[in-house]
Amino acid sequence: MTVFVDIGSLDDIPRQGARLVRTAQGCVAVFRTADDRVFALDDRCPHKGGPLSEGIVHGTAVTCPLHNWVFDLNTGQAQGADDGAVGTYAVRVQGGRILIDASLIRRSAAA
Amino acid sequence: MKRKLVVIGAGMASGRMLEQLFDAAPDAYEVTLFNAEPRGNYNRLMLSPVLSGEKTYEQIVTHDDAWYAAHGVDCRFGEPVVRIDRKNRVVYSGSGGAPYDALVIATGSAPFIIPVPGKDLPGVVTYRDLEDTQAMIDTAGKDAVVIGGGLLGLEAAAGMAARGARVTVIHLMGHLMERQLDPAAGYLLQKDLERRGITVHCKGATKAILGTDRAEAVLLEDGTVYPADLVCMAVGIRPEVRLANDAHLEVERGIVVDDALRTSDPHIFALGECVEHRGQVFGLVAPLYDQAKVLAQTLLDQPAMFAPVQTATKLKVTGCDLFSAGDFADAPGREDIVFRDPGRGIYKRLVLESDRIVGVVMYGDTADGAWFYGLMKDGTDIGPMRDTLIFGPAFQGGAAPDPMAAVAALPPEAEICGCNGVSKGAIMNAVAGGACTLDAVRACTKASASCGTCSGLVGQVMALASGGEVQDTPAGLCKCTDHSHEDVRRLIRAMGLKSIPAVMQELGWKTVGGCHSCRPALNYYLLAEYPLEYRDDRQSRFVNERNHANIQKDGTYSVVPRMWGGVTTPAELRAIADAAEKYNVPMVKVTGGQRIDLLGVRKEDLPHMWADLNAAGMVSGAAYSKGLRTVKTCVGKEFCRVGTQDSTGLGIRLEKLMWGSWTPHKLKLGVSGCPRNCAEATCKDIGVVCVDSGYNIVIGGAAGMEVKETRPLASTPSEDEAVEIILAVTQLYREHARYLERIWKWMGKVGLDWIKAQVVDDLANRRALVERFEISQSVYRRDPWADLSTPTETPKWAPLADLTLEAAE
Ligand code: SRM
Ligand SMILES: Cc1cc2nc3c(=O)[nH]c(=O)nc-3n(C[C@H](O)[C@H](O)[C@H](O)COP(=O)(O)OP(=O)(O)OC[C@H]3O[C@@H](n4cnc5c(N)ncnc54)[C@H](O)[C@@H]3O)c2cc1C
Ligand code: SF4
Ligand code: FES
């Protein structure tokens, strides 16, 4: 079973935007869509490391700000002709709070 | 002997529970019913029809005196309970106590009051009971402001408007009813409300309610003031749990109950909006009726379990047809199916998760709502009918969205060709008169005879007139739409579209939220068209413009403060040096644009660095913007032995007038003091080369991927006139060019002669352009660094959370 940890309020992330969470295995971008769905992906584009958290969010996709690769927030898969993927993490909203997979802490503690 | 049941609150939930109880076992309990309101149970949902005048209070009473008498209920109306004595099992109101064997708390919700100055003034109400409703009925002919654009606020607004009040709705979020609706449906709703004379102000944060003896006006954070004889706060509710708290029952957000609706005290039960069941609180009546059934059984010692089901929302505003059900929040693996029919104002959206419907939003045509709702509730696998699902149960085989709908909806006077002022009606007439090719229409109306960018739209109007096919349309703006940039711009103007969701809905966008190509373009077109009304959408901007700094390949940023005309001072240089050291800037570089670049700044340091630079009097150089960049100057006649005019002074003057403006692409200026041209003015978007007799203005230069030499636009002996022409040509460019098109490219399409005719020869037009530029600058001549480095904004630049720190603890 996934254990979750509170990282902040839903209102802390702008709609169609993202905020970063620092973890021991790198930054994780937490996205909020126009209709309040929340997704967590690694913040490193597989192309040349662009920060996905700074991309334009449209529907349930984000466009990397450096060279416009587009990623599906559900799966982390690059869309269209581009080939690559980023890791995704379990995240959910409960009572206006955002909870993320707590193993992001635990794994780092073990390291 | 009958057991004693005391009920606190005569509302929707307890009323239904008592009905069930008396039906099943009329003699089991002797009931005492307290209510804070001075009356018994009525249908609270129907307050809106009472407000709008469609019903009277008498018509919405659910339990009258005779009913209470027939069931022997001891009614204590107008007597709020103030204390529960759990030890002795007695509840107390102001005028006495009542002992109980079983107690039911059904106190409902308390409206949330936003803590702003003036909230306690007379004339400030909420929307919960008959007293609130009466106060709102009395606003006929007066000004009313509703704070909150959710279900309740909009019912209040529509009701007051129906009674003849002048109503404004202030809503904090970007669109109405954002919890139930997505932006597209929210936009349609807003349009419907505006059609009935209600003013809607989204993204409005209330700062204070103004007035001396009673409410007179509402002041927003952005400085807007709306007059208000009555202010209705409808920003949300929270469970009314005060009694339970005082009695030390277990309370989270609501009074915690188990599946049998028992609280942490076995003699006390609760139901309705005041409870929390398995982490969930309630705001609609359907699940409360289920609770009522369960609690009646529990009170009769029968086993029963409450399990909430999903509920659908409808807005009870006559003529606003909307339906929303399900959950749009928080789960990976979801997909959308969207249907738009702009011509008829229809929007439907289904949210799917592994071939099951999990959310439905419909606007304009909600006939199929119940069907979708049924599929959702039953968890039906919609895989087999997925292709046609959105068209509803009746559909077999057709009706795709109509790309011509937007054009069909235009009024005859709508301008199609901007260069030659040709209306839709004129083109229709030409076709009716026999013109059947684009050339023929062009010959007789001049439509699309100049820059030609409206050819697609002209073709569509022709097709509409002749009932034929749309001919050779130009490429769409992006994959989300078949409309070209120019058509989108014209339609924004002709149809008065004022938001990105509005454009996407009315022009039949094929995707839910657009993409990284169309959103920045739409944002620009809207802010250029409606500088005073439109609010810049930061989330539709490319990272550099959203963060007001250029992103670097490693995710850090570069910071370039403005140096007006390339002139600086020792104090500014010192502040730049201090900032560079304080934030460990890895490289300080002089740019090709006569200023200094601090490269490699961390995102979270940006607002701090900006605040430091602001303190030294510097503002953003906008080195990242599709907007005014630099005005390069040379030293000019003040120092140079061959200079003819004050080129430095003119450059600074231009930069001070034009900074902050957004343009289709970046805009660079240069002013040289003599034809030696040390400021390289002849490869800038707009240049000035000074000569003895005055100022030669040149436009259309570039030195990037293509090197372009400027071409002469005008010569004038007067510096003032030179400034005027430059502002006018800038505004013309802002109004007509495609997004991401520099002046040289735009000039290639419309022709230098046309530009000259607009800004040099036609003096009245020139003045009008300058005036429109000034109106826009009254909003945008403002430093974004200052706006984004405030105490509320600064924390948003740092990570939301740092789990590496938690691990270290
Ligand atoms: C900093 C600077 C180079 C320098 O160190 O001197 C620079 C840096 C960049 N230029 Fe430039 N340009 C700089 C002067 C120029 C000039 C010279 C000038 O303005 O006099 C030109 C040629 C003149 C012109 O614009 O026609 C120039 C033509 C470009 C172009 C090509 C534009 C074109 O229409 O072809 C791009 C790409 C674009 O805009 O799409 C570009 C884009 C960029 C970007 C923003 C690349 C990017 O998209 O991230 C670079 C940002 C670096 C950073 O992080 O700061 N830069 N760039 C100069 C900043 C000037 C300033 O003070 O604001
Ligand atoms: C204008 C309006 C329109 C609505 N429209 C809809 C709709 O279309 N669909 C829908 O599903 N829901 C709608 N609702 C919500 C719905 O009315 C509520 O969900 C429902 O009324 C809650 O029932 P309840 O019994 O928990 O609380 P209530 O009906 O609020 O009853 C609680 C009662 O307890 C009394 N009380 C509180 N404290 C005390 C105390 N200490 N002592 C004694 N009495 C006390 C209150 O005075 C009140 O009469 C609407 C609500 C409003 C206000
Ligand atoms: S020339 Fe190319 S590499 Fe150099 S700053 Fe400009 S965009 Fe960057
Ligand atoms: S780094 Fe993301 S697209 Fe290149």
Side-chain angles (χ1 to χ4, degrees):
Chain A
M1 200 187 83
T2 317
V3 177
F4 286 92
V5 54
D6 187 310
I7 50 169
S9 153
L10 182 62
D11 295 335
D12 290 337
I13 308 181
R15 285 211 167 85
Q16 298 186 306
R19 291 287 297 276
L20 275 190
V21 176
R22 242 182 224 137
T23 77
Q25 57 222 297
C27 285
V28 172
V30 183
F31 294 89
R32 176 180 180 189
T33 63
D35 52 12
D36 286 349
R37 280 183 266 172
V38 174
F39 300 91
L41 278 69
D42 275 325
D43 192 41
R44 263 187 75 79
C45 176
H47 177 222
K48 290 192 173 171
L52 296 182
S53 57
E54 298 294 357
I56 289 181
V57 178
H58 42 99
T60 47
V62 62
T63 300
C64 176
L66 294 196
H67 317 97
N68 289 343
W69 284 26
V70 177
F71 295 87
D72 184 339
L73 296 176
N74 292 293
T75 59
Q77 285 289 339
Q79 303 294 287
D82 300 314
D83 196 18
V86 289
T88 60
Y89 300 92
V91 61
R92 55 181 184 154
V93 178
Q94 203 171 22
R97 304 292 300 176
I98 304 169
L99 309 179
I100 202 166
D101 186 343
S103 67
L104 282 166
I105 310 181
R106 268 196 256 120
R107 260 183 265 166
S108 62
Chain B
M1 208 187 79
K2 277 195 189 181
R3 285 184 283 173
K4 285 190 170 50
L5 174 67
V6 172
V7 180
I8 309 177
M12 307 281 301
S14 68
R16 179 57 66 93
M17 185 276 292
L18 287 175
E19 284 173 19
Q20 304 268 352
L21 186 69
F22 293 141
D23 275 357
D27 300 316
Y29 283 99
E30 191 179 294
V31 177
T32 305
L33 177 60
F34 287 92
N35 200 21
E37 287 181 64
R39 59 184 72 83
N41 200 346
Y42 57 93
N43 186 346
R44 199 174 298 284
L45 277 58
M46 288 292 125
L47 283 176
S48 292
V50 171
L51 172 58
S52 62
E54 290 159 66
K55 280 201 159 51
T56 62
Y57 169 67
E58 288 69 30
Q59 288 174 302
I60 70 166
V61 170
T62 50
H63 301 134
D64 56 15
D65 294 346
W67 188 87
Y68 289 120
H71 294 93
V73 177
D74 174 15
C75 297
R76 307 278 194 90
F77 298 155
E79 270 190 54
V81 169
V82 293
R83 189 163 69 86
I84 303 170
D85 177 350
R86 281 169 56 187
K87 211 166 116 232
N88 300 306
R89 288 197 216 142
V90 184
V91 301
Y92 291 95
S93 74
S95 45
Y100 64 83
D101 298 309
L103 173 64
V104 171
I105 305 178
T107 45
S109 295
F112 188 74
I113 308 278
I114 40 176
V116 291
K119 68 179 167 47
D120 298 320
L121 286 171
V124 180
V125 300
T126 59
Y127 191 13
R128 187 74 195 170
D129 58 25
L130 194 63
E131 279 69 26
D132 298 329
T133 309
Q134 190 55 50
M136 286 194 270
I137 290 174
D138 295 339
T139 55
K142 299 188 194 161
D143 292 303
V145 168
V146 176
I147 303 175
L151 266 176
L152 211 54
L154 297 183
E155 289 188 11
M160 285 193 277
R163 291 278 184 175
R166 292 176 296 274
V167 184
T168 302
V169 175
I170 294 162
H171 189 52
L172 188 60
M173 305 307 298
H175 67 273
L176 296 172
M177 285 182 62
E178 81 287 348
R179 281 175 46 209
Q180 293 88 4
L181 301 183
D182 58 8
Y187 154 74
L188 286 172
L189 173 59
Q190 174 165 347
K191 234 176 58 169
D192 267 352
L193 294 172
E194 284 169 350
R195 220 173 281 131
R196 16 182 116 205
I198 297 173
T199 306
V200 178
H201 186 134
C202 287
K203 297 193 191 167
T206 306
K207 190 170 183 185
I209 295 168
L210 311 177
T212 32
D213 301 325
R214 55 174 293 119
E216 288 164 20
V218 175
L219 168 69
L220 305 191
E221 293 282 359
D222 67 10
T224 319
V225 175
Y226 290 105
D229 298 297
L230 180 120
V231 179
C232 175
M233 283 204 196
V235 291
I237 51 173
R238 48 177 167 205
E240 175 57 89
V241 296
R242 282 175 297 180
L243 281 177
N245 261 330
D246 293 347
H248 301 296
L249 293 172
E250 189 184 341
V251 174
E252 294 282 341
R253 277 183 302 158
I255 304 169
V256 176
V257 292
D258 64 13
D259 291 345
L261 299 170
R262 198 181 310 260
T263 69
S264 55
D265 177 331
H267 297 281
I268 304 184
F269 306 83
L271 85 168
E273 284 183 343
C274 59
V275 306
E276 175 172 332
H277 172 260
R278 293 179 179 262
Q280 190 186 350
V281 294
F282 304 86
L284 293 172
V285 86
L288 308 187
Y289 287 161
D290 291 339
Q291 292 180 354
K293 214 182 282 175
V294 171
L295 182 54
Q297 286 173 283
T298 301
L299 287 171
L300 297 172
D301 304 315
Q302 296 162 4
M305 271 177 64
F306 170 63
V309 294
Q310 272 179 338
T311 39
T313 307
K314 272 195 152 194
L315 182 68
K316 297 189 297 303
V317 173
T318 322
C320 286
D321 230 355
L322 89 79
F323 180 91
S324 139
D327 179 16
F328 299 91
D330 161 49
R334 289 187 176 177
E335 298 165 277
D336 295 292
I337 301 181
V338 180
F339 172 90
R340 303 180 201 253
D341 183 343
R344 291 189 295 147
I346 290 175
Y347 173 81
K348 302 180 189 182
R349 174 174 174 209
L350 301 176
V351 183
L352 306 181
E353 191 175 304
S354 37
D355 279 341
R356 305 263 178 315
I357 300 179
V358 294
V360 190
V361 184
M362 310 173 79
Y363 199 95
D365 172 8
T366 55
D368 299 335
W371 185 69
F372 288 124
Y373 180 57
L375 293 179
M376 178 172 85
K377 237 174 47 180
D378 302 341
T380 310
D381 178 359
I382 52 81
M385 50 181 161
R386 189 180 161 127
D387 288 352
T388 56
L389 182 67
I390 192 87
F391 302 113
F395 174 85
Q396 291 313 327
D402 178 4
M404 299 272 286
V407 179
L410 286 178
E413 62 278 10
E415 188 176 85
I416 300 294
C417 171
C419 299
N420 297 295
V422 186
S423 66
K424 173 181 166 187
I427 298 169
M428 305 277 287
N429 287 340
V431 176
C436 54
T437 64
L438 190 58
D439 277 346
V441 169
R442 195 174 284 155
C444 66
T445 66
K446 291 279 179 294
S448 80
S450 298
C451 74
T453 58
C454 61
S455 307
L457 206 49
V458 173
Q460 289 187 25
V461 174
M462 289 173 61
L464 190 72
S466 62
E469 278 295 294
V470 183
Q471 21 174 306
D472 46 278
T473 29
L477 186 157
C478 66
K479 66 173 179 9
C480 309
T481 176
D482 295 332
H483 290 294
S484 67
H485 278 270
E486 288 77 11
D487 289 352
V488 167
R489 252 197 130 160
R490 275 189 197 91
L491 291 167
I492 284 175
R493 204 166 295 159
M495 301 171 75
L497 307 177
K498 296 197 175 152
S499 68
I500 291 178
V503 175
M504 292 184 174
Q505 171 60 28
E506 296 291 351
L507 307 188
W509 241 243
K510 291 178 270 185
T511 52
V512 174
C515 71
H516 62 267
S517 299
C518 57
R519 285 242 305 281
L522 293 182
N523 189 50
Y524 170 73
Y525 293 150
L526 287 163
L527 73 83
E529 191 64 36
Y530 309 105
L532 299 181
E533 282 168 78
Y534 182 70
R535 301 288 194 89
D536 186 58
D537 178 17
R538 257 179 100 199
Q539 297 311 132
S540 291
R541 286 192 175 274
F542 178 63
V543 53
N544 288 356
E545 293 187 346
R546 183 175 348 109
N547 290 345
H548 292 280
N550 287 317
I551 196 161
Q552 310 291 297
K553 61 185 213 174
D554 64 353
T556 61
Y557 291 84
S558 71
V559 171
V560 186
R562 220 169 252 300
M563 269 179 193
W564 308 96
V567 176
T568 183
T569 63
E572 282 185 355
L573 291 172
R574 210 170 278 128
I576 291 174
D578 287 345
E581 283 185 350
K582 183 166 166 190
Y583 301 102
N584 293 317
V585 168
M587 174 147 96
V588 181
K589 182 178 179 305
V590 174
T591 72
Q594 296 189 338
R595 48 214 193 150
I596 293 175
D597 198 347
L598 302 162
L599 296 123
V601 182
R602 299 185 321 152
K603 183 179 178 188
E604 53 263 52
D605 286 339
L606 288 174
H608 302 284
M609 183 185 254
W610 295 341
D612 291 356
L613 294 170
N614 278 164
M618 280 176 277
V619 299
S620 167
Y624 45 78
S625 75
K626 306 291 176 245
L628 183 81
R629 295 280 182 94
T630 55
V631 181
K632 263 171 98 160
T633 71
C634 71
V635 286
K637 85 168 181 196
E638 299 294 296
F639 290 92
C640 178
R641 76 195 160 89
V642 291
T644 61
Q645 310 285 351
D646 178 12
S647 52
T648 322
L650 174 56
I652 293 173
R653 179 174 168 191
L654 287 168
E655 193 167 354
K656 294 230 157 162
L657 284 168
M658 295 170 69
W659 73 287
S661 59
W662 297 104
T663 44
H665 202 305
K666 52 191 174 191
L667 185 66
K668 299 174 175 181
L669 273 63
V671 185
S672 289
C674 82
R676 291 171 191 77
N677 192 18
C678 298
E680 298 165 324
T682 50
C683 62
K684 295 289 173 269
D685 298 278
I686 305 176
V688 180
V689 179
C690 302
V691 288
D692 220 30
S693 60
Y695 305 83
N696 291 333
I697 304 167
V698 296
I699 61 168
M705 290 173 275
E706 307 231 17
V707 181
K708 298 279 168 194
E709 190 181 341
T710 51
R711 295 175 57 199
L713 176 70
S715 296
T716 164
S718 145
E719 187 185 293
D720 288 345
E721 188 176 30
V723 169
E724 204 177 77
I725 292 173
I726 289 170
L727 299 187
V729 77
T730 303
Q731 181 64 14
L732 194 70
Y733 168 56
R734 283 168 42 94
E735 291 177 5
H736 289 268
R738 267 186 186 207
Y739 189 63
L740 296 188
E741 194 166 72
R742 285 184 77 168
I743 287 191
W744 66 266
K745 222 174 200 170
W746 166 65
M747 184 169 81
K749 284 201 288 195
V750 300
L752 181 59
D753 289 342
W754 182 77
I755 298 178
K756 269 189 190 157
Q758 302 291 311
V759 303
V760 186
D761 307 338
D762 185 343
L763 207 63
N765 192 41
R766 183 202 298 172
R767 297 259 149 86
L769 284 162
V770 173
E771 198 174 310
R772 291 203 289 279
F773 184 72
E774 254 316 308
I775 289 174
S776 174
Q777 283 297 79
S778 70
V779 175
Y780 288 102
R781 198 183 281 127
R782 198 183 155 89
D783 182 26
W785 288 358
D787 290 338
L788 293 169
S789 58
T790 59
T792 42
E793 293 297 323
T794 298
K796 300 181 188 165
W797 297 81
L800 180 59
D802 191 341
L803 300 182
T804 58
L805 293 181
E806 299 205 16
E809 277 166 10

